[in-house]
Amino acid sequence: MKEKYIPFLFKYGAAALMVVVIIYFSVINSNFLTYGNLSDILRSISIVTLLAIGVTFTLIVNGFDLSVGSTMSLSTVITASLMVWYEMPLWMVLILPIFVGVAVGLFNSLLIVKIGIPDLLATLGTMYVVSGIHRTYTEGYSIYNYMPLVSGGKAPGAFYSSFLWLGQGKWLGIPVPVIFMVLFVVIVHIILQHSRWGRILYMTGGNEEAAHLSGVRVKKVKMIAYIVSGIFASLAGILFTARVGSGQIDAGSPLLMEAVASVFVGFSFLGAGKPNIIGTFFGAALIGVLLNGLTMLNLPYYAFEIVKGSVLLSALAVTYVHAKRK
């Protein structure tokens, strides 16, 4: 019985939980399955999904990136400051934060690939460094329209309406962040599952030595994975800024747990047994549905961390128990 139970739980547990959760919340609240609420759920998970896509890339190469949350926070305040403090054109507001993500990814690569620091320790250190940088850059204040400056006077600029449309607008009735999320999920899924580059990434993570003997430039592949992680963290920061209309310090810290949990839930989705983008998206959706339903039940926001942590621990437990029994 136990021999069949664990593989079944590993393969279908997350999908079964999703079905149960949707049925439960639909029964106790008639507004749960409305288009408006489902749209809100998808909008709420769009930023987490982008963050989790970056984490997925590092896990594929057998690494891990704990710095995505602070990188997103840095991207958020830089994006806001370019409009509010410096009144830069929109294209620079969108491009410069992405270069920041690339820089953080390169820094992580230097620590992990060149110096040889274990990925968890290296990205933990980077997380604190980047967190200190964005706090120092803003002097501990969030950035908003015409905010008073520490040096005196007021900031000259405000958020552009064209920029806010990216996070708050709709196209054909669909929230724009949801469109971005679906586009990125589809593109990354095609790259990982149907391209030579995707096979190289999985080969590197599966057996680094074998990949090296096969002619794969392992260090370069791992470096690119961390850069991609930084880029997606920056994209999440840009989208978050457009959604809330301000540059919140520490915006990404609460989302780190959700992103990591999404990746590990997706690890076992339909028995994949490896990090994959469709599974990551499903994991983000599962957590989004849970949090939305609990909000409808008026559960205190401070209890949400218990739910997120429980989802992560459950996903890890099923994954590692399954791995030990293989």
Side-chain angles (χ1 to χ4, degrees):
M1 181 68 183
K2 204 172 179 180
E3 295 295 328
K4 295 180 180 177
Y5 177 71
I6 295 296
F8 179 84
L9 194 61
F10 177 77
K11 193 171 183 179
Y12 301 113
L17 178 61
M18 175 69 101
V19 172
V20 170
V21 166
I22 289 176
I23 292 175
Y24 175 73
F25 287 131
S26 302
V27 169
I28 63 172
N29 194 316
S30 59
N31 293 321
F32 182 77
L33 273 185
T34 59
Y35 174 78
N37 190 52
L38 294 178
S39 175
D40 284 342
I41 292 174
L42 288 174
R43 192 202 299 264
S44 70
I45 68 169
S46 57
I47 294 166
V48 172
T49 301
L50 292 187
L51 208 58
I53 289 175
V55 178
T56 304
F57 269 92
T58 57
L59 275 177
I60 288 174
V61 297
N62 201 26
F64 198 75
D65 190 353
L66 277 175
S67 65
V68 290
S70 56
T71 305
M72 175 185 156
S73 300
L74 180 60
S75 168
T76 299
V77 296
I78 286 179
T79 302
S81 69
L82 293 177
M83 287 179 281
V84 175
W85 292 355
Y86 305 112
E87 298 182 289
M88 287 192 174
L90 182 60
W91 68 271
M92 291 188 72
V93 172
L94 298 176
I95 294 295
L96 289 180
I98 293 176
F99 281 113
V100 171
V102 172
V104 175
L106 280 171
F107 183 64
N108 278 330
S109 303
L110 172 70
L111 298 175
I112 297 166
V113 178
K114 294 293 183 184
I115 299 179
I117 301 174
D119 45 24
L120 276 175
L121 298 177
T123 56
L124 178 66
T126 301
M127 180 180 77
Y128 282 105
V129 170
V130 175
S131 179
I133 290 173
H134 89 255
R135 286 166 184 268
T136 304
Y137 179 66
T138 61
E139 297 183 321
Y141 295 100
S142 295
I143 300 173
Y144 50 91
N145 294 344
Y146 308 113
M147 63 180 287
L149 299 173
V150 176
S151 56
K154 288 187 175 181
F159 284 82
Y160 310 144
S161 57
S162 54
F163 175 78
L164 294 176
W165 180 81
L166 297 174
Q168 302 172 10
K170 290 185 177 181
W171 188 70
L172 298 176
I174 305 171
V176 175
V178 176
I179 296 173
F180 280 124
M181 174 184 68
V182 172
L183 277 176
F184 280 119
V185 167
V186 170
I187 292 170
V188 173
H189 174 72
I190 292 173
I191 291 173
L192 290 180
Q193 302 300 325
H194 303 287
S195 75
R196 179 174 172 272
W197 171 240
R199 289 191 292 275
I200 288 174
L201 279 170
Y202 279 112
M203 188 189 301
T204 301
N207 190 322
E208 197 171 309
E209 184 64 26
H212 176 70
L213 294 174
S214 300
V216 175
R217 298 173 66 183
V218 171
K219 290 185 177 179
K220 182 181 177 182
V221 172
K222 296 187 80 167
M223 181 184 74
I224 292 174
Y226 280 98
I227 292 174
V228 171
S229 179
I231 290 174
F232 273 101
S234 289
L235 289 172
I238 293 171
L239 211 56
F240 182 88
T241 311
R243 182 180 168 193
V244 302
S246 65
Q248 302 284 330
I249 59 169
D250 286 334
S253 299
L255 301 184
L256 173 62
M257 176 71 80
E258 290 183 44
V260 172
S262 301
V263 177
F264 279 102
V265 169
F267 192 93
S268 62
F269 180 60
L270 298 181
K274 62 182 180 182
N276 66 95
I277 294 304
I278 298 300
T280 295
F281 169 68
F282 178 84
L286 176 60
I287 295 170
V289 167
L290 271 172
L291 297 182
N292 179 273
L294 294 174
T295 302
M296 285 185 161
L297 291 178
N298 294 321
L299 189 75
Y301 72 91
Y302 41 80
F304 286 6
E305 301 300 319
I306 301 173
V307 177
K308 296 175 191 176
S310 299
V311 171
L312 175 59
L313 289 174
S314 301
L316 287 172
V318 172
T319 300
Y320 278 89
V321 169
H322 177 76
K324 283 169 64 178
R325 298 173 68 86
K326 284 177 70 177

